[in-house]
Amino acid sequence: MKTAVIVFPGSNCDRDMAVALEQVTGKAPAMVWHRESQLPDGVDFIALPGGFSYGDYLRSGAMAARSPILRAVSDAAARGVPVLGVCNGFQVLTEAQLLPGALMRNAGLNFVCRTVPLKVENSQSLFTAGYGAGEEIAIPVAHHDGNYFADAATLDRIEGEGRVAFRYADNVNGSARDIAGVLNDAGNVLGMMPHPERAIDRAHGGTDGLRLFEAALGVLA
Amino acid sequence: MKVNVYVTLKPGVLDPQGKAIHHALEGLGFGGVADVRAGRFIELDVADGTSDADLDAMCAKLLANTVIENYRIERP
């Protein structure tokens, strides 16, 4: 199992993500700098971490989405390699048009930083197969721009296709239809604002994030 | 050649920042403001003869996120 974490200037959850991946796979991920144009050969799983890539200049995730490594990530995603974007990683995936919609400033304008209940909406995806359908899990959020937006037709489509992975049980940021996590049409790209890598150890206050990594990395299989 | 690009939120897209600015204006005693929408102004200094198609591509590929934003290019 070969994993990679993409590191942008301003990423700040890259090490947490690396700890999560190593805990589950037993092997440290490759840390891939945004200026690289290639991923390690045979990479099985790619994570885009949280943070404030390029200082959120222009729009959150906008610059990172145009960095050289994103072309390689996009190619890998098209080949079916699982790609997980958390928080800023989710913003990057929408800006790169690997996921639909956009993440706007939180409706309440506050930076929201707390553990929130999430409803598992789709428990069939490769990322969420470790959860029960409709199960409520607790995962921390920490963001200013997590207000998910897409036009009504797009929202209807992704809901109809079962591509809403998670919803907020209590909408913390104004997201359309309480959406907290979205899958691409092939189901191998997941973007989510909550941080599963911050809920993998009892010392974190909960371990609900662990099952996402275990499912995605095939440990449960 | 200076080119001005105005990036604005599409109609119907909620603008929390515009709302906050609106509230602040009211707090300062400015009544009669019906609505506030915040956008972005970008000034480009480009080679003379840069084509409209290139300017449009710059906006569509980077300067605006067309999921939520419109843009308008103003040439001298």
Side-chain angles (χ1 to χ4, degrees):
Chain A
M1 174 61 62
K2 208 184 247 185
T3 63
V5 177
I6 311 299
V7 185
F8 302 100
S11 294
N12 65 9
C13 302
D14 44 324
R15 281 175 290 180
D16 291 10
M17 185 64 80
V19 168
L21 296 178
E22 182 165 3
Q23 180 171 324
V24 172
T25 65
K27 204 173 148 205
M31 305 303 280
V32 181
W33 185 232
H34 69 121
R35 296 293 297 246
E36 301 289 333
S37 55
Q38 286 187 326
L39 290 157
D41 279 341
V43 71
D44 302 302
F45 183 94
I46 302 162
L48 276 64
F52 298 88
S53 56
Y54 299 84
D56 279 350
Y57 287 177
L58 191 62
R59 297 175 303 274
S60 300
M63 314 304 282
R66 278 84 181 169
S67 62
I69 196 63
L70 251 289
R71 256 170 266 153
V73 171
S74 185
D75 290 346
R79 291 197 309 270
V81 176
V83 178
L84 170 68
V86 169
C87 200
N88 189 225
F90 186 12
Q91 295 161 345
V92 173
L93 289 173
T94 59
E95 279 283 343
Q97 295 178 14
L98 290 172
L99 290 173
L103 292 144
M104 305 185 57
R105 180 55 42 102
N106 291 346
L109 297 173
N110 288 319
F111 190 99
V112 180
C113 184
R114 58 173 183 263
T115 298
V116 301
L118 293 180
K119 190 178 161 217
V120 179
E121 199 65 33
N122 175 340
S123 60
Q124 307 295 313
S125 79
L126 70 93
F127 301 95
T128 56
Y131 301 115
E135 183 180 349
E136 198 168 285
I137 59 174
I139 306 280
V141 297
H143 60 250
H144 209 170
D145 295 330
N147 182 352
Y148 185 74
F149 175 89
D151 60 46
T154 303
L155 292 170
D156 289 345
R157 182 163 51 80
I158 61 176
E159 285 187 330
E161 293 171 354
R163 288 165 56 188
V164 175
F166 302 104
R167 288 188 213 266
Y168 300 105
D170 179 18
N171 195 334
V172 290
N173 53 27
S175 286
R177 302 188 192 176
D178 307 327
I179 291 172
V182 174
L183 293 154
N184 69 342
D185 55 358
N188 68 310
V189 177
L190 170 67
M192 60 191 293
M193 289 310 296
H195 288 268
E197 81 282 9
R198 295 190 190 180
I200 60 162
D201 188 298
R202 274 188 300 167
H204 290 156
T207 58
D208 283 349
L210 194 56
R211 277 180 286 162
L212 186 150
F213 293 101
E214 289 174 340
L217 298 164
V219 176
L220 292 178
Chain B
M1 174 177 72
K2 287 261 164 61
V3 173
N4 296 335
V5 175
Y6 299 87
V7 180
T8 51
L9 282 174
K10 287 183 175 175
V13 176
L14 289 177
D15 180 10
Q17 291 174 99
K19 273 217 173 81
I21 295 166
H22 191 184
H23 275 295
L25 285 173
E26 286 175 337
L28 289 170
F30 295 104
V33 180
D35 194 19
V36 178
R37 310 272 292 165
R40 182 180 285 112
F41 167 69
I42 300 167
E43 192 179 81
L44 303 174
D45 191 353
V46 299
D48 290 347
T50 299
S51 71
D52 285 347
D54 277 349
L55 290 171
D56 198 68
M58 290 180 203
C59 291
K61 283 188 174 175
L62 178 61
L63 302 183
N65 178 342
T66 56
V67 173
I68 48 172
E69 294 168 330
N70 290 326
Y71 58 86
R72 181 165 60 83
I73 300 164
E74 196 178 82
R75 302 181 69 128

